[in-house]
Amino acid sequence: MTSLPRIAHDTVEDELAEALHGCARGERASLHRLYEHLAPKMTGVALRMLRRRDLADEVVHDTFLRIWEKAGSYDPSRGKASTWAFTVLRNTALNVLRGERRIELVEDYDAIEPASEEADAESLLVALSETSALKRCLDRLEPMRRRAILLAYLRGLTHGELAGRLGVPLGTAKAWIRRSLRTLKDCLA
């Protein structure tokens, strides 16, 4: 595969940067130029990330809407126009991936939510055999840390979700999980 001469690549980047500046000024023709040049490549990238043509097309469309709205924030001193545009695409696709995963895994969140998280975490602990090594080791953890571990690993909560539900800073939730796992590992060894 041959690469374009450096001068041609720089010219394209200059044209893309000018088109972004045109979008910032509200020039629809500039958005059209960007679309014609970047949309095919963006569709390919989005398709590789999302693995569904309908979602890839939607993400590319949303990306150009965001480019139109945010073109004024492009700063050529911080990077190339194409890099900026593909960063918008990447962020848009990642947002879709996060949303899709939640939709596929949990369709009706309220329907599976326990009546009480405390009761749920404790019932999970009680469900373990009284003689199991894991139960013995979990019993050694401070109650809030034990609850965090149980909710994270048996209910699948993320660090951020744990922090929100337990009313602690994100760093605290992360530290509790990290230290508790280390304690459990040592206990079970």
Side-chain angles (χ1 to χ4, degrees):
M1 183 170 159
T2 61
S3 62
L4 294 173
R6 185 79 182 148
I7 219 155
H9 182 70
D10 289 343
T11 303
V12 169
E13 282 299 327
D14 291 343
E15 288 175 15
L16 293 175
E18 181 51 42
L20 280 174
H21 292 303
C23 287
R25 294 187 299 266
E27 298 169 3
R28 292 181 186 269
S30 294
L31 182 64
H32 182 73
R33 282 196 325 260
L34 280 174
Y35 184 86
E36 290 218 332
H37 185 77
L38 296 176
K41 294 174 191 166
M42 285 186 169
T43 301
V45 170
L47 194 52
R48 282 192 302 275
M49 290 179 75
L50 300 167
R51 301 180 198 274
R52 282 182 44 195
R53 181 63 187 220
D54 59 327
L55 289 178
D57 290 341
E58 185 178 325
V59 162
V60 171
H61 177 265
D62 289 350
T63 296
F64 279 98
L65 288 175
R66 285 186 175 90
I67 287 172
W68 177 255
E69 295 167 352
K70 305 288 184 190
S73 69
Y74 168 65
D75 180 1
S77 68
R78 296 186 63 200
K80 298 187 289 185
S82 61
T83 303
W84 183 86
F86 276 91
T87 300
V88 175
L89 171 77
R90 178 185 171 275
N91 292 339
T92 305
L94 288 174
N95 287 339
V96 168
L97 279 173
R98 289 181 194 116
E100 280 293 303
R101 190 172 308 119
R102 284 190 194 114
I103 290 168
E104 288 174 14
L105 294 177
V106 179
E107 289 185 277
D108 186 5
Y109 190 77
D110 292 334
I112 63 169
E113 189 65 32
S116 161
E117 287 172 20
E118 288 162 22
D120 185 51
E122 291 307 313
S123 67
L124 292 170
L125 183 61
V126 169
L128 290 173
S129 167
E130 287 298 322
T131 60
S132 80
L134 181 57
K135 181 169 183 352
R136 179 178 44 80
C137 293
L138 282 167
D139 282 339
R140 291 183 182 177
L141 295 176
E142 186 258 337
M144 285 293 281
R145 291 181 185 190
R146 179 176 56 238
R147 185 170 166 219
I149 285 289
L150 290 170
L151 290 173
Y153 286 90
L154 298 176
R155 301 270 299 143
L157 298 184
T158 65
H159 289 123
E161 291 167 331
L162 282 172
R165 292 196 184 190
L166 299 176
V168 297
L170 179 61
T172 300
K174 288 180 177 182
W176 283 358
I177 296 295
R178 185 177 54 252
R179 290 179 189 142
S180 298
L181 287 175
R182 192 176 315 129
T183 301
L184 289 173
K185 181 180 176 185
D186 292 344
C187 179
L188 290 168

